Amino acid sequence: MSLPLTAPAPAPAPVAAPAGALADRYRAVRDQSEALCRPLLPEDTVVQPNLDVSPPKWHLAHTTWFWETMLLGPYAPGYEVFHAEFAYLFNSYYNSLGSRVNRAERGTLTRPALAEVLAYRAHVDAHLLALLANEAALPPAARELVEIGLQHEQQHQELLATDIKFILSTSPLNPAYTPGPAPADAGALAPPAAWLPVPGGVFPVGFQGEGFCFDNELPVHAALVPDFELQNRLVTNAEYLEFVEAGGYRDFRHWLGEGWDLAQAAGWQAPLYWVRSADGQWLRFTHHGLRPLELAAPVTHVSFYEADAYAQWAGARLPTEQEWEVAARRFGATPADGGTWLESPRLDPAPVPAGADPTACHQLLGECWQWTYSAYHAYPGYRRSAGPLGEYNGKFMVNQLVLRGASCATPRSHGRLSYRNFFHADKRWQFTGIRLAR
């Protein structure tokens, strides 16, 4: 039984398709979230194996609560909330908007049923599309909130993809999320990595284009970056396997002390999702089930501690976020260049082609998030927004590290050079990988 996408509960009458660009984008983004959940069983959507992972049903409801609370409440006269208790159930971390279910207890929400969550989505969608039917009449603040809502839901689409993978990986059946494309030649190797020089100087860092960015990408400011070199591709599974088989997880000399203690206590012996079969073959759990380790593909699902330990073992280091952005601008990376994104059926980082130009920098956008050796903090001159949106980024600017580059689970239209993702150093469940600098 697959996920039903037609809610049995009644919803407001459909609204004629608005011609505005915001309405079209709204409809496409909302459809994409439900499409990500279509291969799941209803039982899959309730599971929460650990604190990092939220149940897919919760993601579907939370993103809907965001639209209802931020847009419909303030800007749709006479709007009545779908259910009075949903604000408590599906608020995430907005203290200014009231109390909420503890994050660790999202998996206890067997009620409301999935069908009611889908009815909730249909209800809110109908009212949002009615609001967007006269897009030109929306005040600028409302239009800005629509854009933030779209970006917010795309963030949760990436979380959906990675949370679904983790949820299915905890099943002893190793179920596949989708059949996926035919496996590649797992034993093929990537072309040797090359070091690309990047001249130093004083560079503008931060969002410099047109369109949307989050507040943590601003303001643009000057950064002094010395000369450095960057590898022209991501570290591969084959290269990381050398570190594993050389005893990298048993030698404290490569590790930061905190990372070494965690790796020993948690029993880490390889990246998350790597599995050694009875005959000694390395397999990896993917969205398509257990598959042989693809040696030419980028290594993923490593913590900052593992990424840094590998870099130390390899005689290199991780780049700073300023170095990463300066290099990405120098080499002209854009989301349109290709790469693997959420829209790809692969749902896994792809290898660099065998004939790739060694003088070009590959895999800068898409594929996997790249750890930097930069703390996540405010840019000079940053100010938090007023109201609930001030809780979106600013309050997390402590004890986390910046990642750059987007991943194979990021929607293509959501990626850009200045995007600053951030996680604690121990996190592995996202598509996090390694690019070396020196």
Side-chain angles (χ1 to χ4, degrees):
M1 178 181 176
S2 60
L3 176 69
L5 289 183
T6 302
V15 177
L22 283 180
D24 291 341
R25 290 177 58 211
Y26 176 85
R27 197 180 287 106
V29 168
R30 296 286 283 171
D31 288 348
Q32 175 75 350
S33 297
E34 295 190 8
L36 282 167
C37 294
R38 188 172 289 120
L40 300 176
L41 300 178
E43 292 81 357
D44 296 328
T45 71
V46 188
V47 180
Q48 185 182 23
N50 70 17
L51 184 62
D52 293 326
V53 171
S54 294
K57 184 177 74 172
W58 184 89
H59 285 293
L60 292 174
H62 165 71
T63 50
T64 305
W65 166 85
F66 188 95
W67 289 108
E68 182 178 61
T69 303
M70 302 293 187
L71 264 297
L72 292 179
Y75 294 103
Y79 175 76
E80 296 184 5
V81 297
F82 181 81
H83 195 296
E85 295 296 329
F86 280 14
Y88 174 73
L89 298 179
F90 302 122
N91 183 358
S92 55
Y93 50 71
Y94 295 91
N95 294 313
S96 57
L97 295 174
S99 59
R100 58 202 179 276
V101 170
N102 186 291
R103 177 172 180 168
E105 296 172 355
R106 292 172 184 171
T108 67
L109 299 179
T110 57
R111 308 292 177 91
L114 176 61
E116 189 172 4
V117 168
L118 293 171
Y120 179 37
R121 289 181 67 87
H123 172 89
V124 168
D125 286 349
H127 284 281
L128 242 302
L129 288 171
L131 183 66
L132 296 177
N134 191 9
E135 179 182 320
L138 288 176
R143 294 173 65 88
E144 180 182 358
L145 281 168
V146 173
E147 185 63 54
I148 291 172
L150 294 170
Q151 301 290 332
H152 170 259
E153 185 137 350
Q154 287 187 311
Q155 287 181 314
H156 278 270
Q157 288 170 359
E158 178 156 4
L159 290 169
L160 267 169
T162 50
D163 289 0
I164 287 168
K165 180 176 182 178
F166 193 92
I167 288 167
L168 296 181
S169 77
T170 64
S171 168
L173 300 177
N174 293 313
Y177 167 67
T178 63
D185 178 5
L189 295 176
W195 289 99
L196 302 179
V198 182
V202 177
F203 301 92
V205 169
F207 180 72
Q208 300 167 44
E210 296 181 355
F212 177 83
C213 75
F214 286 111
D215 62 355
N216 65 358
E217 301 170 57
L218 294 171
V220 176
H221 59 285
L224 173 63
V225 177
D227 296 349
F228 69 101
E229 292 182 309
L230 194 72
Q231 277 203 341
N232 70 330
R233 60 163 173 77
L234 298 170
V235 172
T236 65
N237 285 322
E239 290 164 335
Y240 199 88
L241 181 59
E242 291 182 39
F243 171 69
V244 172
E245 295 186 336
Y249 282 82
R250 300 189 301 274
D251 191 339
F252 70 90
R253 292 175 299 171
H254 310 308
W255 294 74
L256 294 167
E258 188 175 87
W260 174 253
D261 292 344
L262 174 61
Q264 300 311 297
W268 291 352
Q269 299 179 22
L272 181 64
Y273 300 128
W274 284 31
V275 179
R276 198 159 205 166
S277 64
D279 62 0
Q281 181 184 15
W282 281 103
L283 308 174
R284 192 168 64 94
F285 184 81
T286 73
H287 280 92
H288 317 304
L290 272 179
R291 291 193 167 182
L293 186 67
E294 192 176 0
L295 296 180
V299 65
T300 59
H301 300 292
V302 290
S303 66
F304 170 81
Y305 297 128
E306 291 164 290
D308 181 69
Y310 175 85
Q312 295 297 319
W313 174 81
R317 62 175 175 84
L318 301 178
T320 66
E321 69 163 319
Q322 292 82 8
E323 287 174 332
W324 189 96
E325 184 171 324
V326 166
R329 293 190 188 283
R330 175 177 175 80
F331 295 112
T334 70
D337 291 339
T340 308
W341 300 86
L342 181 63
E343 294 79 8
S344 166
R346 179 180 170 89
L347 264 178
D348 212 30
V352 169
D357 181 359
T359 66
C361 201
H362 306 280
Q363 300 174 316
L364 281 164
L365 292 172
E367 310 308 345
C368 64
W369 290 104
Q370 299 159 49
W371 286 107
T372 73
Y373 214 119
S374 291
Y376 177 55
H377 56 69
Y379 283 163
Y382 170 83
R383 292 184 181 273
R384 291 195 201 181
S385 302
L389 292 179
E391 298 188 63
Y392 204 107
N393 284 310
K395 72 180 186 181
F396 299 110
M397 291 176 172
V398 64
N399 296 335
Q400 305 201 67
L401 290 138
V402 175
L403 300 97
R404 292 301 196 103
S407 84
C408 59
T410 308
R412 185 188 293 270
S413 64
H414 193 65
R416 56 188 170 274
L417 289 186
S418 59
Y419 198 114
R420 304 174 77 202
N421 205 350
F422 51 94
F423 292 121
H424 292 100
D426 63 318
K427 301 310 178 190
R428 313 168 89 202
W429 98 109
Q430 287 293 319
F431 283 96
T432 48
I434 309 169
R435 185 184 296 274
L436 297 179
R438 68 183 186 188

